[in-house]
Amino acid sequence: MARIADLVAYPLKSNDGVALDRAELGPAGALRGDRTYALVEAGVDPHEASVGGNGGYVNGKSEPAVHGLRASYEIAGPADATPTAVTLSRPARPETGVDADERTFALPDEGDALAAWVGDYLGYAVDLVREPDGGFPDDRAARGPTVISRATLETVAGWFDGVADATEMCRRLRPSVVVDDCPAFWEDRLFADRGEAVRFAAGDAELLGVNPCQRCVVPSRNPDTGEEIDGFRETFIENRRATLPDWTESDPFDHDFRLMVNTVVPEERWGSTVAVGDEVTIEGVEPLDEAAY
């Protein structure tokens, strides 16, 4: 029986996560507090910007220097990762004339100071934006937690000499939920054909798996240094195809650079909780109106 092994929220989008023992599924279904804050280029509307790396978000897709930032958090509660303060550290960056530094910022009161401090490090002005109801996920349609298995992380880490272990691969892929006691690529059972969803339960929550996550350049980069693995995409695609389980084949899996599952949480399940150790059970495939998510 698959079980939740890890829950991770990312209170400041594109920065370090925080491990949770349990988490509430907040508005729109994300782990409460996940990606509540994000950095964008100054003046950019985060709701109009693209998350794909060329649309104004200051993330690992568009700004490799983000990988040099380290973050730790004070959070609102044991099941609520909304940050009340964040401690950021940055390395020296001669090209922007800043020294190594560490500062703690209370949130939301010191958001402007945080943005100015990060902007000094990057060499251009940025804004810190806040969205308490659902955060700033990459997939704005499927806003529930992303799911992957520990066995998958271990397997994929083994494809690359430059990846130390499953823990590092988890930091590269940035899932919200890691499940254990199941085989590699088990999470591919959590999506079906287009127009369908796979309903699954954990704790008192029910989620709908809707599609396999399309990957980007971020997993190819060392999460601490930003150093990129040459040929990462090609190696990934070759090995993904070679190890593809029979249960993965479906309409949404239209190319091999996909890993992890995006989910939707039905509105009636917002406010439910999931916890480390919860069993994860697949309840079945059901129709899904794609226009609704």
Side-chain angles (χ1 to χ4, degrees):
M1 179 68 70
R3 296 179 182 274
I4 294 178
D6 298 293
L7 293 168
V8 186
Y10 303 89
L12 177 57
K13 184 178 177 68
S14 300
N15 282 262
D16 292 323
V18 58
L20 304 169
D21 292 327
R22 60 187 179 92
E24 181 182 333
L25 299 179
L31 303 187
R32 185 172 291 279
D34 187 47
R35 297 170 173 88
T36 297
Y37 288 90
L39 292 160
V40 297
E41 296 174 20
V44 167
D45 181 346
H47 299 288
E48 299 295 331
S50 166
V51 296
N54 58 357
Y57 275 93
V58 180
N59 56 23
K61 301 181 188 74
S62 63
E63 178 54 84
V66 167
H67 294 285
L69 295 172
R70 300 272 66 81
S72 61
Y73 310 93
E74 297 175 20
I75 60 176
D80 182 354
T82 302
T84 58
V86 57
T87 298
L88 290 173
S89 62
R90 67 187 186 196
R93 197 159 186 246
E95 55 265 53
T96 58
V98 300
D99 296 326
D101 192 14
E102 179 177 289
R103 281 192 58 184
T104 298
F105 301 92
L107 295 175
D109 293 348
E110 296 182 315
D112 289 346
L114 185 156
W117 186 87
V118 173
D120 286 344
Y121 166 70
L122 297 176
Y124 54 87
V126 301
D127 293 332
L128 182 71
V129 291
R130 180 187 183 209
E131 176 51 76
D133 294 331
F136 298 103
D138 278 2
D139 191 324
R140 290 167 172 160
R143 303 172 73 92
T146 51
V147 183
I148 198 168
S149 77
R150 187 183 300 281
T152 299
L153 295 170
E154 292 169 349
T155 297
V156 177
W159 296 346
F160 303 97
D161 292 338
V163 178
D165 52 24
T167 298
E168 181 181 331
M169 184 53 69
C170 188
R171 293 182 64 207
R172 288 170 179 260
L173 295 171
R174 303 173 65 79
S176 300
V177 178
V178 178
V179 296
D180 210 348
D181 297 338
C182 58
F185 312 113
W186 176 88
E187 67 279 358
D188 288 354
R189 296 181 182 274
L190 301 180
F191 58 85
D193 287 332
R194 290 189 177 93
E196 297 178 327
V198 176
R199 184 176 290 265
F200 63 101
D204 64 356
E206 290 188 349
L207 302 90
L208 301 174
V210 293
N211 60 64
C213 183
Q214 178 167 289
R215 304 316 316 188
C216 63
V217 68
V218 171
S220 71
R221 294 188 182 140
N222 182 293
D224 293 316
T225 67
E227 182 179 359
E228 192 166 341
I229 296 174
D230 289 338
F232 180 94
R233 181 188 177 95
E234 293 77 10
T235 298
F236 183 103
I237 288 172
E238 178 182 354
N239 284 278
R240 184 71 160 122
R241 173 50 54 181
T243 58
L244 200 67
D246 292 342
W247 60 73
T248 302
E249 299 289 356
S250 66
D251 295 342
F253 197 85
D254 53 0
H255 60 77
D256 295 319
F257 202 46
R258 291 184 180 273
L259 190 71
M260 202 161 67
V261 176
N262 295 321
T263 70
V264 171
V265 178
E267 186 172 355
E268 66 270 17
R269 293 293 181 174
W270 296 357
S272 58
T273 59
V274 292
V276 171
D278 282 347
E279 293 183 357
V280 181
T281 57
I282 297 175
E283 299 185 339
V285 178
E286 61 186 60
L288 180 70
D289 180 2
E290 291 189 18
Y293 76 92

